[in-house]
Amino acid sequence: MNREKSQKAYCEALRYIPGGVNSPVRALRNVGETPLFIQKAKGCRLTDIDGNHFTDFCLSWGVFILGHGASTVNKAVKSAIANGTSYGIPSLPETELARLVNQYIPSMEKTRFVNSGTEAVMSAIRLARGYTGRNTIVKFDGCYHGHADHLLVSAGSGVANLGNSSSAGVPDGFVSYTVSIPFNDKDAVKRLFDERGLDIAAVIVEPVPANMGVILPQDDFLQYLREITARNGALLIFDEVITGFRLSTGGAQKIFGITPDLTTVGKIVGGGFPAAAFGGRADIMSLLAPDGPVYQAGTLSGNPVAMSAGIATLNQLSTDDFYTELNGKSEMFVEKLKQSISGKDITLNYIGNMFTLFFTPEKVCSFEDAKKSDQQRFARFFRYMLSNGFYISPSQFEANFISVAHSRRELDRFAGIAGKFRE
């Protein structure tokens, strides 16, 4: 596979961009590769500047549930651009998308749009502190909630590959009110609330963590979080930046039957553009400026092009058979992949159309379990799949995604080639 142009482009990028990339994991260093430079994407296929084609299972980290370049989204975006790209004052698409979000995720009674998942989570936490008058935030080891200073505590995803629990440049005082405990550990939650319950403003959790790889909540863990926060006057925040509109129109909270106080969504809600949102109970959201004392703002928040892309995307997801067909196709793929990797000391975690292959024979239920995975084996697997025309998420601590654009033939081929992986 010739990648001469990508390698040359990377050398040029290194001159002007730190690490040559605008998000660390794209550098592919932890899998022993140099970055692909993409020229175009359509459906489930990426084409790099060398003309190589790859079936994409990263999908811009879960954004493209319809596949790249969906015609309905493109049409909506072109129409929006014709009217201007940013106004700095309200436009109708903002209200229309907020109404759709509320329709599909009823717990988001009111919604504020921002430009990234990091912004959404940062703002939701500020709001939770303003509402409760408390300072302490509880998160879970391996759950990544963006790169705001106070949340880079035992985060997963790209931070896991740095080998540090946090980041340089974050003063101790910034994280002093953030407590991280093991996911799926109800006893740890109980101990913390017994000790500090009156100081806890909120518990934030990925209901299905995807930034340490896909990890499923066990037993009634999410229900326990709902109950213990309510008893102690703390808020429950679901970070559904990844799972929102990915698992169902109502996200993970619909699947598990839990109603959080606040929710963050991203990825899919922007239809491929930089957009995210936080929302929740009207009485909490009413504390946001200009109605209340909690400040949040953004020049490009509610951008009309991004809102139009989001509206077009959510309208496609609302058909009765959308998730039935997508998850049915995904279930068939998972069964074939299970058979294909049987006996290879690989654990497959999945839910709906999200999956992770952990390179460990042991069950993976927490970040500690995930860290037992053999990252060198994963790196070899990544390079092997890349050489066979498949682009998977380039970290052991990430999820892979299936879109409606993936054909069963492509899914079968992935499962078959994965099964032929040799050390």
Side-chain angles (χ1 to χ4, degrees), residues 79-286:
S79 178
I81 289 174
N83 292 324
T85 57
S86 179
Y87 311 136
I89 50 179
S91 62
L92 292 177
E94 297 169 66
T95 304
E96 184 176 353
L97 186 54
R99 180 185 59 79
L100 284 174
V101 169
N102 169 255
Q103 177 183 333
Y104 299 140
I105 307 179
S107 71
M108 297 179 74
E109 295 175 356
K110 289 193 175 183
T111 294
R112 176 70 61 88
F113 290 106
V114 292
N115 300 294
S116 69
T118 292
E119 255 188 279
V121 171
M122 177 184 73
S123 303
I125 286 176
R126 180 181 300 159
L127 182 57
R129 284 174 165 152
Y131 179 81
T132 61
R134 303 173 180 179
N135 293 323
T136 300
I137 300 296
V138 179
K139 66 175 291 292
F140 295 93
D141 300 343
C143 285
Y144 176 72
H145 304 292
H147 63 270
D149 286 350
H150 56 282
L151 289 169
L152 286 175
V153 180
S154 190
S157 195
V159 176
N161 287 313
L162 294 178
N164 300 313
S165 61
S166 187
S167 169
V170 178
D172 291 342
F174 281 33
V175 297
S176 62
Y177 291 110
T178 304
V179 180
S180 190
I181 56 179
F183 184 73
N184 273 328
D185 190 338
K186 290 192 293 186
D187 290 339
V189 175
K190 183 180 184 303
R191 285 195 299 271
L192 183 59
F193 269 92
D194 286 345
E195 295 169 5
R196 303 177 60 176
L198 295 180
D199 297 325
I200 295 172
V203 172
I204 184 167
V205 64
E206 293 179 88
V208 179
N211 286 290
M212 50 178 150
V214 174
I215 306 286
L216 301 183
Q218 292 183 320
D219 303 324
D220 59 345
F221 182 68
L222 296 178
Q223 181 62 41
Y224 183 73
L225 295 183
R226 176 64 288 179
E227 292 169 356
I228 199 166
T229 50
R231 285 200 306 269
N232 286 272
L235 301 186
L236 177 62
I237 305 173
F238 268 15
D239 181 347
E240 297 222 46
V241 167
I242 290 177
T243 55
F245 307 109
R246 170 56 66 177
L247 299 182
S248 73
T249 48
Q253 57 194 263
K254 179 179 179 180
I255 298 294
F256 292 101
I258 307 293
T259 302
D261 300 297
L262 293 171
T263 298
T264 62
V265 293
K267 311 289 187 186
I268 291 170
V269 79
F273 285 78
F278 65 102
R281 284 173 22 206
D283 64 313
I284 301 173
M285 295 297 291
S286 68

Side-chain angles (χ1 to χ4, degrees), residues 38 46 64 163 171 175 198 233 278 291 300 316 323 353 361 373 381:
I38 302 303
L46 300 173
F64 291 104
V175 297
L198 295 180
F278 65 102
D291 290 345
L300 293 172
Q316 290 291 300
Y323 289 97
N353 47 77
S373 298
F381 179 76

Side-chain angles (χ1 to χ4, degrees), residues 294-322:
V294 178
Y295 191 73
Q296 180 277 327
T299 297
L300 293 172
S301 295
N303 175 270
V305 179
M307 299 296 96
S308 297
I311 292 164
T313 299
L314 295 198
N315 282 336
Q316 290 291 300
L317 307 186
S318 64
T319 58
D320 292 339
D321 56 356
F322 181 87

